Amino acid sequence: MDNITKEYEMGHFPVYVSEGASEKKLAQIKSNNYLSHCYHELLNVMEVSLF
């Protein structure tokens, strides 16, 4: 918890999507370069771990 507080005090805030429906969430993720990159990296990890 201390680390989270320190990051917050330094002006570092988490990025999250609070849209209601999953379709809107995915659209928001895809419209943000950082979140889109993370999303695609996660998909790659999930594909590798399934095989």
Side-chain angles (χ1 to χ4, degrees):
M1 199 64 168
D2 290 336
N3 288 339
I4 294 171
T5 301
K6 287 177 190 175
E7 292 294 325
Y8 182 80
E9 289 172 347
M10 292 189 311
H12 300 153
F13 305 100
V15 178
Y16 66 95
V17 176
S18 61
E19 299 292 333
S22 59
E23 295 85 13
K24 287 188 176 187
K25 282 184 175 67
L26 186 55
Q28 282 298 110
I29 289 169
K30 289 181 176 181
S31 73
N32 178 287
N33 287 335
Y34 173 74
L35 292 178
S36 181
H37 171 77
C38 293
Y39 174 74
H40 289 289
E41 288 297 312
L42 180 59
L43 287 178
N44 289 335
V45 169
M46 290 174 63
E47 285 179 12
V48 170
S49 67
L50 290 177
F51 298 104

